[in-house]
Amino acid sequence: MTESDGGSGASRYLGAKPPAASLLINEIYPCLQGEGPETGYPTVLVRLTGCNLRCLYCDSAFAYYEGERMSVDAVCARADGFGIPRVLVTGGEPMAQAATPALCGALLRGGHRVSVETSGAFSLKALPRDVLKVVDVKAPGSGEAGSFQAEILEDLSAKDALKFVLRGREDYLFALDFLQRTPG
């Protein structure tokens, strides 16, 4: 406590910069987008560490645990360094990290076109409106069919996309039924 703040301790916070938001990053690299509405476009892929699901066919299990802690500014600087306007934020599960909306907002302000690939297990309300949301609805063949939160559909706009990975006829019928029951 100091005399100048009347003993409240508040003066130690005056003018202090809040800690920078950070994320656990598995990898960042340039690629050609391989799926979804932006297939074929040069893209910077920002893969976040961690996922709450364990899909039977997961192609990025290496991202479950390993990563480097980076500030939002450092991630943006690395993405900027490739000179590619599109950035895909994926995982693991990108929405499992609290700073993902801040990262997306910073990338948008930096002039990037931003997309997020997510499982639909977390709310998307905190994402900036201009982010392209690609939501992977988990079919039975994933082993995680119960993970999708139906209220996610309210967070989507006409520019966003639903994605299904189909391992067989059961998954196809699941996707068909889902789409027939889903408004809009």
Side-chain angles (χ1 to χ4, degrees):
M1 312 268 181
T2 65
E3 237 176 73
S4 63
D5 66 9
S8 71
S11 67
R12 66 182 170 167
Y13 298 105
L14 296 177
K17 185 176 179 181
S22 69
L23 302 112
L24 199 54
I25 304 295
N26 181 267
E27 59 185 346
I28 301 173
Y29 61 90
C31 65
L32 289 178
Q33 177 64 5
E35 58 188 42
E38 302 215 317
T39 297
Y41 285 101
T43 301
V44 175
L45 189 143
V46 176
R47 185 179 309 283
L48 304 184
T49 301
C51 188
N52 58 310
L53 304 180
R54 294 297 181 264
C55 296
L56 298 174
Y57 50 70
C58 182
D59 64 355
S60 55
F62 59 88
Y64 286 166
Y65 306 107
E66 296 179 12
E68 170 189 357
R69 177 76 45 198
M70 294 177 69
S71 70
V72 166
D73 290 344
V75 175
C76 290
R78 178 113 28 113
D80 288 345
F82 294 108
I84 298 172
R86 284 180 167 76
V87 177
L88 166 63
V89 180
T90 188
E93 171 50 59
M95 297 309 294
Q97 294 197 43
T100 297
L103 172 62
C104 293
L107 288 165
L108 288 167
R109 287 188 300 280
H112 292 281
R113 181 177 175 128
V114 179
S115 58
V116 169
E117 286 189 8
T118 179
S119 68
F122 291 89
S123 173
L124 305 176
K125 289 185 187 321
L127 286 175
R129 182 180 49 83
D130 291 335
V131 170
L132 171 65
K133 299 166 207 73
V134 180
V135 181
D136 185 0
V137 180
K138 302 299 183 181
S142 71
E144 295 286 356
S147 63
F148 184 79
Q149 295 182 28
E151 59 271 10
I152 294 291
L153 296 171
E154 297 169 12
D155 300 334
L156 303 179
S157 69
K159 72 173 173 24
D160 300 320
L162 294 176
K163 179 181 95 172
F164 298 85
V165 175
L166 308 178
R167 294 185 76 192
R169 183 167 178 75
E170 179 186 17
D171 287 355
Y172 168 75
L173 293 173
F174 170 87
L176 188 61
D177 180 64
F178 183 96
L179 293 170
Q180 288 174 340
R181 288 183 294 110
T182 301

